[in-house]
Amino acid sequence: DILSVLFTVGQSLHLTRYTDEEIVPTRIKDHSQLDLKQLLYRMSDTSPSSPPPAKRPKTSNSLSGFDSNTKDLNSSHQVRNNNMTENAEPQIDEGLYSRQLYVLGHDAMKKMSASDVLISGMNGLGIELAKNVILAGVKSVTIHDTESVEIADLSSQFFLRESDIGKNRAEVSCDRLSELNNYVNVNVYTGALSEDFLLQFKVIVLVQAPVSQQIKIGEFAHKNSLAFLVADTRGLFGQIFCDFGENFKVVDTTGERPISCLVSSITKDSEAVVTCADEQRHGLEDGDYVTFKEIRGMVELNNCKPRKIKVLGPYTFSIGDTKNFSEYQREGIVTQVKMPTTLRFKSIKASMSQPDFLISDFAKFDRPGQLHLAFQALSEYQQRHSQLPRPRNVADANNFKDIVNEINEKSEFKVDSFDDDLLQNFAFNAKGNLSPMQAVIGSITAQEVLKACSGKFSPIQQWFYFDATECLKGVGANAAEEDFQPCDCRYDGQIAVFGKEFQKKLESLRYFVVGAGAIGCEILKNLAMIGIGAGPNGHVYVTDMDIIEKSNLNRQFLFRPWDVQKPKSSTAANFVKQMNPNMRITAHENRVGQETEKIYNDDFFEALSGVINALDNVEARQYMDRRCVYYRKPLLESGTLGTKGNVQVVLPYVTESYSSSQDPPEKSIPICTLKNFPNAIEHTLQWARDAFEGLFKQPADYANQYISDPKFMDKLAKMQGSQPMEMLEAVKKALVDEKPTNFEDCLRWAVMLFQDNYYNTIKQLLYNFPPDQKTSTGQLFWSGPKRCPHAIKFDVENQLHLDYAIAASNLKAVVYGIKGSKDVDEIKKVLRGVEIPEFVAKSGVKIDVTEAEAEARMSAAIDEAQISQLIESLPSPESLAQSKLVDIEFEKDDDTNFHMDFIVAASNLRAENYEIEKADRHKSKLIAGKIIPAIATTTSLVTGLVCLELYKIVMGLKEIDSYKNGFLNLALPFFGFSEPIAAPTNKYNDVEFSLWDRFEVNGTKDDGKEMILSEFLEYFKKHHNLEITMLSQGVSMLYSFFTPKAKLQERLPLPMTELVQKISKHRIRSHVKSLVFEICCNDSEGEDVEVPYIKYNFR
């Protein structure tokens, strides 16, 4: 009966309809049905979001090579497996892993997808590690634990619930981990770690294991060439150890794209010198290897074996002997070759006595050695006393320090002197369990696991120690021990480090998290574990206007496949509420900006404790930075780019703001390079993107404006240079010349577009500049960065040509609301019938060769007669009143919309014109879509560092040396920390001020009336000894010393708000309580001085 009911319900929900990559319910109306959907799939041992079986790697029902009769195992210690299907060749799902693939590459991902990983220890650190490894996409992860859930585990183990207390930590974590990635088999094992069992894995990780177990398993792993890692955290202290064997091959030490440069000359010598074209800095280093292609003359170097270089200067380097080669003539490209390197690791036993350290903070150069012995001593302490040192217990700390000294005396590795406070704090922190620290150590360890699987990036050699003891500066030296004792609550691990009073303070905070993407998800997880906003007066607000896409699932771990197309903010908020039911969180779906200042107004910001940015663009970051400076709220800022990340603390009155320093602008491609002389695939892809905008967006947008905006012609008349002509020509093409009536017209248009771009234009270019043309200096025109092109004739049987025609015609059809087609046979039939007129090159056609020529043409005077002629040729807007064209917004992640099809085909055809190496769809999407490469490990790491800084802010630390801005690169690996830059100061009349200071002027006088302009000017003379020479609000100039007298007399008696409204011609909105004024002033000596801005309060 139960089965029949479930079958009936399953049929009614249509739970088995497949798309390309995932199962999608066709009729799920509410959460109750979603829960039932998950239940049905759980009962059938299939994840609710499983891709079709054909898309899934196949494995057996038990671990490969594992014998259920192996010693140390019995029926209660069997391996349980989630996400298991039949064995099949693993595939790399580019839709899911797209951002990660741009960091790791396909080869590394394939190696990872064939790797089995064991993680022993499912505390907060173990779950963080497992989460990141599973998201990355290894073949399988087996989680192991013999311990049961305790209330203190909830301090950082985000996949545990209070209802799990008493159950095995690995057992209850397995299902939740398995939901993260359906391509990864997640197994749980609760038995002893026998040698036969361990041999199944490529990587073994021990989390918070005793030293005796580390040595036993580590030595076995080293002997059997298994990668072995140890990870541990104790409060604000962390440890990582890596042993990848005696012959570990690293295929790419940095992960950076190989450098490529154009060559201008190569000498024929015993130490030949290569010079780069156009004084282009090569960026190579001594010892790098390079190869060459497309060299004319010295052809022996083309596709040569990698040659080791020696840098001679920023534009030159030597490559060894070329005396027996042909003479170099011209052209050529030199490309860096990534050479594999082999590393030798010591076993853990050998490395304990002869450790190699990776420094985490160069300001703490003496710490690794001390912490190396401290972690060993802690294991020994626990073995002797059957417990860890108690929080803030001085006697236990002294016993611990004695053991440290004892081990130091016996050890081959010795520390000359110890920092007594460091060791005491280590003992005090022994029972600490902090979510931000788990994020830091867990993410770094996870990246090391991926390195062990793939050979991509440089691993840690071999010990890494990290501490954040600055967080303890706010904890008094004489803090009462009882304040740090457990109270049987989920925050006991945090209380052990900071105390109960500090915990109450955390719970009462009100924080605004801006963004719920990858960084936002990790931030929210940490806030939930810490308890931010979990008290009666606390609150967390999160806003994000985006919806969840499939590519988000690889990093944004709060989302599941069944969440795709839901709002990010509310989905994330609902998930963290499950992690900590006491968390008070409100989700918004708003963009932050001037348009939402009615929502995020004075009352909202003034009630906040601080802001955490989780944004993906500079503009929004700068806006939030300005708001935080204005409201004097601390801001925590972070960002990632592949394996690189940074963290910045912005603290009122202490540090500079985010906007105080700016990144260098992106290097732009010269117009003439794009239009006529591309020499790299980046140039052809940018040309294709510009073509997309110029064909399918801008003309439709301009045409719609022409039809619907009565002031279109007036706006056009005010434009400069060639812009009016270009806009009118686009309108004419859209509404007259190139307006299709059916899909066949779209196909014919696509062929003619092909002919114009890839044949006619190239023929005209070669007519103007023949292949053998020389410059006035006698050099060949087509040399150096200028590649001589060749024309391409349209061929319907050429797949690339066909792809272009299909994509362009279907996009044209979308613009005009015409039904498109993918019927290749019918399309070919139409294309074969298109007559292409013979092209004849014209004399007198001007082609821009330099950037100056291109700019001059764009700014040339308008030909009024031509403009009038164009206007007359257009149908009247009234006759087109019912017409509306679709201006297409480029969307790179939808593989069905023809956008990327067009970009790839258009770019590769132009690359073929100029004999540039073509790019596949994956690379094209990265460059044309301006995708930011991203991986979960870097995201998790930077958010852990952010939340460590949050502890310091909440403690009220004001010394700038208490804070750490972080810069890191997990690929190298490199970790750099520095004090934030102090807020720069300035002076007027001996008054010092910084960006955090301002003049506060209350506009309402004692009689209830508002201050007028003349009183405002007098106020600054009287109270600040400053004469205002100019006064502005936004873009409106309210007063200046050169204002005409009549106008000045009119303005002086006006109340300030009335004056602002009159000049700006905008009404002040009802939620606005104050205005910001900028002023220029003279001091008492009549000298012009810089002064702060004015906050003018009038409500």
Side-chain angles (χ1 to χ4, degrees):
D1 291 341
I2 293 174
L3 286 174
S4 64
V5 168
L6 288 172
F7 178 78
T8 304
V9 174
Q11 278 192 319
S12 70
L13 288 175
H14 297 275
L15 291 177
T16 55
R17 185 168 68 87
Y18 294 98
T19 63
D20 277 348
E21 300 293 348
E22 59 199 74
I23 293 172
V24 179
T26 56
R27 201 164 73 233
I28 293 182
K29 300 295 186 184
D30 55 39
H31 290 295
S32 63
Q33 289 175 313
L34 182 61
D35 292 339
L36 179 56
K37 172 187 174 229
Q38 294 179 53
L39 172 64
L40 289 165
Y41 273 90
R42 290 269 169 86
M43 293 184 69
S44 62
D45 281 339
T46 309
S47 173
S49 56
S50 301
K55 296 283 186 179
R56 296 285 307 285
K58 171 183 154 192
T59 59
S60 61
N61 290 327
S62 63
L63 286 177
S64 171
F66 176 70
D67 181 356
S68 60
N69 296 318
T70 301
K71 61 183 177 179
D72 295 329
L73 298 177
N74 55 46
S75 59
S76 65
H77 294 148
Q78 293 298 307
V79 176
R80 193 178 92 225
N81 178 294
N82 281 15
N83 295 351
M84 280 281 207
T85 57
E86 297 300 316
N87 279 331
E89 182 69 23
Q91 298 182 23
I92 306 302
D93 183 343
E94 291 190 0
L96 176 66
Y97 293 119
S98 64
R99 297 338 185 237
Q100 179 174 292
L101 278 166
Y102 294 126
V103 182
L104 299 176
H106 282 80
D107 289 343
M109 283 288 297
K110 285 175 183 174
K111 290 177 184 176
M112 286 161 47
S113 67
S115 300
D116 299 305
V117 178
L118 170 67
I119 301 172
S120 176
M122 278 296 105
N123 61 2
L125 177 57
I127 203 73
E128 181 67 43
L129 206 167
K131 178 256 290 182
N132 288 322
V133 171
I134 290 167
L135 287 172
V138 296
K139 178 183 177 183
S140 76
V141 172
T142 298
I143 56 172
H144 167 260
D145 208 320
T146 58
E147 295 186 24
S148 299
V149 179
E150 297 177 357
I151 187 69
D153 287 322
L154 273 65
S155 293
S156 64
Q157 221 283 29
F158 46 81
F159 278 161
L160 296 181
R161 310 290 179 254
E162 289 192 22
S163 58
D164 296 326
I165 292 172
K167 301 174 186 176
N168 179 276
R169 293 193 299 196
E171 288 280 0
V172 295
S173 301
C174 184
D175 287 345
R176 291 157 192 159
L177 283 170
S178 68
E179 292 176 348
L180 292 171
N181 191 338
N182 289 312
Y183 291 100
V184 178
N185 295 317
V186 181
N187 316 304
V188 62
Y189 175 60
T190 58
L193 297 176
S194 69
E195 292 182 354
D196 289 344
F197 180 74
L198 295 173
L199 282 170
Q200 305 163 78
F201 302 100
K202 182 167 186 173
V203 184
I204 299 167
V205 189
L206 299 185
V207 177
Q208 215 168 73
V211 169
S212 57
Q213 187 184 32
Q214 293 175 20
I215 292 174
K216 180 183 176 182
I217 294 179
E219 292 299 303
F220 171 78
H222 189 83
K223 179 182 175 183
N224 289 278
S225 301
L226 306 176
F228 175 70
L229 297 94
V230 170
D232 200 352
T233 61
R234 305 289 174 166
L236 291 163
F237 299 88
Q239 173 196 54
I240 299 172
F241 169 76
C242 297
D243 170 16
F244 295 170
E246 298 195 0
N247 291 288
F248 181 72
K249 186 177 178 182
V250 179
V251 296
D252 182 354
T253 57
T254 66
E256 298 296 327
R257 289 177 64 186
I259 294 167
S260 189
C261 299
L262 297 173
V263 174
S264 68
S265 71
I266 304 174
T267 63
K268 194 175 176 181
D269 204 345
S270 57
E271 273 299 329
V273 176
V274 179
T275 304
C276 295
D278 286 351
E279 293 196 344
Q280 181 184 3
R281 290 177 178 268
H282 52 67
L284 296 166
E285 297 178 0
D286 279 345
D288 283 348
Y289 285 79
V290 299
T291 189
F292 298 83
K293 62 181 180 181
E294 300 181 17
I295 290 175
R296 303 288 179 93
M298 198 178 282
V299 293
E300 294 89 345
L301 285 177
N302 285 332
N303 302 312
C304 65
K305 288 182 179 179
R307 297 174 73 99
K308 194 174 183 179
I309 69 137
K310 182 179 180 182
V311 173
L312 303 176
Y315 314 105
T316 56
F317 56 89
S318 63
I319 58 169
D321 192 358
T322 61
K323 284 187 298 184
N324 297 322
F325 291 178
S326 311
E327 288 286 344
Y328 172 83
Q329 294 175 7
R330 59 191 172 95
E331 298 180 12
I333 298 171
V334 58
T335 303
Q336 181 188 22
V337 179
K338 295 293 186 80
M339 300 295 287
T341 182
T342 301
L343 302 177
R344 182 179 181 276
F345 288 79
K346 291 177 281 194
S347 72
I348 188 167
K349 189 174 182 179
S351 189
M352 274 188 174
S353 56
Q354 295 178 327
D356 297 307
F357 299 123
L358 173 69
I359 304 298
S360 64
D361 187 342
F362 290 96
K364 302 175 179 179
F365 205 80
D366 60 336
R367 296 253 173 121
Q370 297 182 68
L371 295 177
H372 185 64
L373 295 179
F375 272 95
Q376 294 176 47
L378 189 66
S379 182
E380 180 65 23
Y381 183 102
Q382 190 169 17
Q383 186 176 343
R384 291 184 190 179
H385 299 280
S386 300
Q387 67 172 23
L388 293 167
R390 289 165 290 180
R392 312 298 293 186
N393 186 285
V394 176
D396 287 2
N398 288 335
N399 286 337
F400 166 76
K401 285 186 274 187
D402 290 341
I403 295 174
V404 173
N405 287 315
E406 185 183 318
I407 290 175
N408 191 40
E409 288 177 12
K410 295 178 181 177
S411 175
E412 186 179 331
F413 170 76
K414 295 195 185 307
V415 173
D416 294 333
S417 62
F418 288 97
D419 181 336
D420 194 66
D421 289 340
L422 179 71
L423 294 183
Q424 179 158 293
N425 281 328
F426 188 95
F428 287 171
N429 273 240
K431 286 191 173 183
N433 180 3
L434 302 175
S435 179
M437 278 298 297
Q438 314 294 33
V440 171
I441 299 301
S443 56
I444 298 172
T445 309
Q447 190 64 55
E448 297 306 303
V449 170
L450 303 182
K451 293 175 186 178
C453 295
S454 66
K456 182 83 177 226
F457 308 141
S458 301
I460 290 174
Q461 289 187 284
Q462 289 185 254
W463 294 94
F464 177 81
Y465 291 96
F466 175 84
D467 74 82
T469 50
E470 299 84 8
C471 295
L472 296 172
K473 286 186 177 182
V475 179
N478 300 316
E481 182 181 340
E482 56 268 22
D483 189 42
F484 296 80
Q485 301 312 303
C487 54
D488 197 32
C489 76
R490 66 179 301 125
Y491 307 115
D492 278 352
Q494 193 162 256
I495 288 170
V497 178
F498 298 117
K500 295 169 189 168
E501 288 305 311
F502 185 69
Q503 183 60 46
K504 291 178 184 176
K505 199 171 183 180
L506 290 170
E507 292 174 42
S508 66
L509 295 175
R510 301 175 69 87
Y511 255 82
F512 186 25
V513 179
V514 188
I519 290 177
C521 283
E522 295 286 346
I523 288 289
L524 291 172
K525 173 257 292 182
N526 281 312
L527 297 189
M529 294 295 95
I530 292 169
I532 304 293
N537 298 317
H539 210 98
V540 172
Y541 301 90
V542 58
T543 189
D544 196 310
M545 61 181 294
D546 285 348
I547 59 170
I548 299 163
E549 304 287 350
K550 181 182 177 181
S551 62
N552 301 148
L553 304 179
N554 174 236
R555 304 170 319 286
Q556 301 170 25
F557 86 105
L558 299 182
F559 308 141
R560 301 292 176 265
W562 52 86
D563 294 324
V564 170
Q565 295 303 303
K566 291 181 182 177
K568 285 186 177 182
S569 56
S570 56
T571 305
N574 290 335
F575 202 108
V576 294
K577 278 285 286 182
Q578 296 174 41
M579 292 180 174
N580 185 349
N582 297 323
M583 189 179 188
R584 298 158 65 88
I585 183 167
T586 299
H588 296 165
E589 295 170 28
N590 303 317
R591 184 197 300 273
V592 289
Q594 289 187 339
E595 65 270 26
T596 54
E597 286 182 3
K598 187 174 182 180
I599 300 166
Y600 307 120
N601 53 23
D602 292 355
D603 293 338
F604 177 83
F605 270 96
E606 285 164 3
L608 292 178
S609 308
V611 175
I612 301 177
N613 271 353
L615 291 158
D616 61 359
N617 68 89
V618 172
E619 184 183 353
R621 283 183 167 110
Q622 290 176 335
Y623 173 79
M624 286 308 301
D625 180 61
R626 291 194 298 272
R627 298 297 274 173
C628 288
V629 170
Y630 180 74
Y631 290 105
R632 293 163 174 167
K633 299 296 179 183
L635 170 67
L636 289 164
E637 172 61 59
S638 61
T640 69
L641 177 65
T643 59
K644 305 180 186 79
N646 73 283
V647 174
Q648 182 179 357
V649 185
V650 177
L651 197 65
Y653 300 105
V654 178
T655 73
E656 68 174 11
S657 74
Y658 172 81
S659 303
S660 297
S661 56
Q662 294 184 355
D663 295 328
E666 278 188 42
K667 191 175 179 181
S668 60
I669 304 169
I671 298 169
C672 58
T673 300
L674 278 179
K675 290 198 69 166
N676 303 312
F677 309 113
N679 57 63
I681 196 66
E682 288 81 3
H683 302 160
T684 67
L685 281 163
Q686 184 59 54
W687 178 87
R689 276 290 284 114
D690 292 346
F692 185 98
E693 297 294 311
L695 291 168
F696 310 118
K697 179 171 175 29
Q698 290 171 354
D701 182 30
Y702 298 156
N704 289 334
Q705 289 181 47
Y706 172 75
I707 294 167
S708 60
D709 186 356
K711 296 182 179 179
F712 176 76
M713 290 300 179
D714 294 337
K715 293 175 183 176
L716 205 69
K718 295 176 183 177
M719 293 178 182
Q720 301 296 315
S722 61
Q723 195 175 1
M725 180 70 74
E726 288 172 359
M727 285 185 71
L728 283 171
E729 286 175 344
V731 171
K732 186 170 184 287
K733 279 184 179 181
L735 297 177
V736 181
D737 300 341
E738 297 177 359
K739 183 179 181 180
T741 57
N742 53 44
F743 186 63
E744 288 188 6
D745 286 350
C746 296
L747 285 168
R748 281 188 280 271
W749 170 84
V751 174
M752 300 312 296
L753 182 66
F754 181 104
Q755 177 74 4
D756 187 50
N757 284 333
Y758 306 112
Y759 187 87
N760 299 356
T761 301
I762 301 300
K763 282 290 187 182
Q764 183 67 55
L765 185 61
L766 291 172
Y767 178 83
N768 282 36
F769 307 107
D772 57 354
Q773 177 156 326
K774 293 186 177 181
T775 65
S776 57
T777 60
Q779 288 185 315
L780 280 169
F781 177 85
W782 294 107
S783 63
K786 293 187 178 72
R787 301 170 70 90
C788 186
H790 68 274
I792 304 171
K793 284 190 173 182
F794 182 77
D795 178 3
V796 73
E797 300 304 326
N798 184 306
Q799 188 60 50
L800 184 58
H801 299 197
L802 184 61
D803 289 345
Y804 179 87
I806 292 173
S809 57
N810 274 280
L811 288 167
K812 185 77 168 177
V814 170
V815 171
Y816 291 90
I818 296 169
K819 185 180 179 182
S821 173
K822 297 180 184 178
D823 188 328
V824 175
D825 292 336
E826 285 299 315
I827 288 171
K828 280 186 172 182
K829 186 177 177 182
V830 175
L831 295 177
R832 288 190 186 102
V834 178
E835 292 187 14
I836 302 174
E838 187 70 27
F839 174 75
V840 179
K842 300 173 185 175
S843 57
V845 174
K846 178 77 171 93
I847 294 177
D848 301 328
V849 175
T850 66
E851 193 71 358
E853 289 176 4
E855 289 176 1
R857 181 184 53 77
M858 291 176 69
S859 58
I862 300 171
D863 186 333
E864 296 293 347
Q866 220 174 344
I867 292 269
S868 300
Q869 192 176 353
L870 265 174
I871 293 171
E872 287 173 9
S873 67
L874 292 173
S876 68
E878 294 76 19
S879 66
L880 301 166
Q882 302 305 312
S883 302
K884 182 168 173 56
L885 278 60
V886 176
D887 54 319
I888 302 176
E889 289 285 348
F890 177 67
E891 172 48 60
K892 60 187 177 295
D893 287 322
D894 182 352
D895 288 336
T896 66
N897 63 11
F898 293 104
H899 295 195
M900 278 309 303
D901 300 80
F902 176 81
I903 296 295
V904 173
S907 170
N908 282 338
L909 284 165
R910 189 161 176 82
E912 188 176 321
N913 276 143
Y914 287 86
E915 296 181 9
I916 296 167
E917 188 176 340
K918 296 173 185 174
D920 61 16
R921 187 184 187 90
H922 182 67
K923 183 177 179 179
S924 298
K925 186 187 284 191
L926 169 70
I927 299 169
K930 301 186 186 299
I931 289 175
I932 308 247
I935 49 176
T937 47
T938 315
T939 303
S940 177
L941 173 55
V942 298
T943 57
L945 295 172
V946 161
C947 290
L948 289 174
E949 299 306 306
L950 175 60
Y951 283 139
K952 303 171 190 177
I953 290 172
V954 179
M955 282 181 176
L957 303 181
K958 297 299 182 187
E959 302 82 8
I960 199 166
D961 62 359
S962 299
Y963 294 89
K964 297 280 186 181
N965 283 353
F967 307 90
L968 55 100
N969 187 339
L970 285 173
L972 300 179
F974 168 79
F975 304 90
F977 296 95
S978 64
E979 292 177 10
I981 298 174
T985 57
N986 215 324
K987 271 188 177 182
Y988 69 91
N989 291 342
D990 295 326
V991 177
E992 195 173 78
F993 69 95
S994 74
L995 64 97
W996 297 99
D997 295 298
R998 63 185 176 220
F999 296 112
E1000 290 266 357
V1001 178
N1002 292 316
T1004 306
K1005 298 182 292 185
D1006 293 339
D1007 59 4
K1009 294 181 179 179
E1010 189 188 350
M1011 185 182 286
I1012 61 175
L1013 176 58
S1014 59
E1015 293 170 335
F1016 183 88
L1017 300 173
E1018 185 60 32
Y1019 173 89
F1020 274 84
K1021 282 185 182 177
K1022 181 178 179 182
H1023 293 278
H1024 300 289
N1025 201 18
L1026 293 170
E1027 179 187 0
I1028 295 178
T1029 55
M1030 283 192 283
L1031 167 67
S1032 63
Q1033 195 273 326
V1035 296
S1036 302
M1037 181 67 72
L1038 307 179
Y1039 166 82
S1040 69
F1041 66 91
F1042 52 78
T1043 303
K1045 189 172 182 181
K1047 190 173 285 187
L1048 185 60
Q1049 293 303 317
E1050 181 186 326
R1051 293 181 181 182
L1052 285 172
L1054 293 178
M1056 295 300 291
T1057 54
E1058 187 179 332
L1059 177 65
V1060 168
Q1061 291 179 107
K1062 180 177 180 179
I1063 295 173
S1064 68
K1065 296 182 173 58
H1066 290 292
R1067 184 176 58 83
I1068 297 173
R1069 296 178 181 178
S1070 58
H1071 67 274
V1072 176
K1073 296 181 179 180
S1074 54
L1075 296 171
V1076 172
F1077 294 137
E1078 299 284 349
I1079 56 174
C1080 293
C1081 293
N1082 290 337
D1083 61 14
S1084 54
E1085 297 177 0
E1087 293 293 324
D1088 183 42
V1089 289
E1090 279 196 42
V1091 294
Y1093 70 93
I1094 301 166
K1095 183 184 179 216
Y1096 177 78
N1097 305 309
F1098 62 91
R1099 282 181 181 150

